[in-house]
Amino acid sequence: MTKLTLGSHPFLLGFEQLERMVERTAKTGNDGYPPFNIEQASEHRYRITLAVAGFTEDDLSITVEERQLMIRGRQPAEDEGRVFLHRGIAARQFQRTFLLADGVEVSGASMENGLLHVDLKRAVPKAEVQTIRIGKAYQKEVSDV
């Protein structure tokens, strides 16, 4: 029995790239830090919220490349001369990756009370009907020699 993948299904033409993106996203090192929420704000708007206590806006970067939203956090080492009796607040760098569907774009980002909010919007495609004209098949002319 042959395993059917998304890119090889006969009714899904041109989805090979989607399968590669899903595989690439699954391989990224999302280890659960920082914790996050994803909420649907309306029919076409979403919000990703990450708990980034201790990070400043300058410590964070948000990029979108090839439909991947990447949020990175890196804090400068300021532990010199400090002695911790207990260290329960994580101060490590992170990278969190989200795969965006076609038409989904980042509309903004904000920080509030140690939470990073990344707002997304999905463009509503116009309903479009395309009529394809049927032409004659290409016929190669053969000349008698």
Side-chain angles (χ1 to χ4, degrees):
M1 180 176 197
T2 305
K3 179 182 175 190
L4 261 175
T5 61
L6 181 66
S8 67
H9 193 280
F11 299 127
L12 300 174
L13 302 174
F15 284 88
E16 300 84 11
Q17 180 182 358
L18 177 63
E19 186 173 17
R20 285 192 299 272
M21 288 185 346
V22 169
E23 288 174 3
R24 186 174 60 205
T25 301
K27 292 178 183 177
T28 60
N30 288 337
D31 63 355
Y33 177 78
F36 66 94
N37 291 337
I38 301 175
E39 54 187 300
Q40 186 169 2
S42 71
E43 187 177 353
H44 302 291
R45 296 195 173 277
Y46 307 92
R47 174 174 266 190
I48 300 171
T49 302
L50 286 88
V52 291
F55 287 86
T56 67
E57 293 168 3
D58 293 333
D59 298 333
L60 301 168
S61 72
I62 303 169
T63 58
V64 177
E65 183 178 345
E66 295 182 16
R67 310 302 319 151
Q68 279 192 324
L69 168 64
M70 194 160 317
I71 303 170
R72 292 183 179 103
R74 177 171 293 179
Q75 291 179 314
E78 296 180 5
D79 293 343
E80 296 175 20
R82 296 171 73 182
V83 177
F84 290 95
L85 300 178
H86 171 77
R87 187 161 189 171
I89 300 173
R92 59 184 171 148
Q93 64 184 17
F94 70 86
Q95 176 175 306
R96 183 60 82 177
T97 305
F98 301 91
L99 183 62
L100 302 179
D102 286 338
V104 175
E105 298 177 353
V106 176
S107 61
S110 61
M111 288 268 295
E112 177 184 25
N113 300 325
L115 298 174
L116 172 65
H117 303 290
V118 180
D119 294 314
L120 308 169
K121 65 178 179 179
R122 180 173 38 147
V124 181
K126 296 177 184 176
E128 192 174 300
V129 176
Q130 183 179 8
T131 303
I132 310 299
R133 202 177 112 229
I134 301 172
K136 294 189 180 202
Y138 174 73
Q139 295 179 359
K140 186 175 179 182
E141 292 183 21
V142 180
S143 60
D144 293 328
V145 180

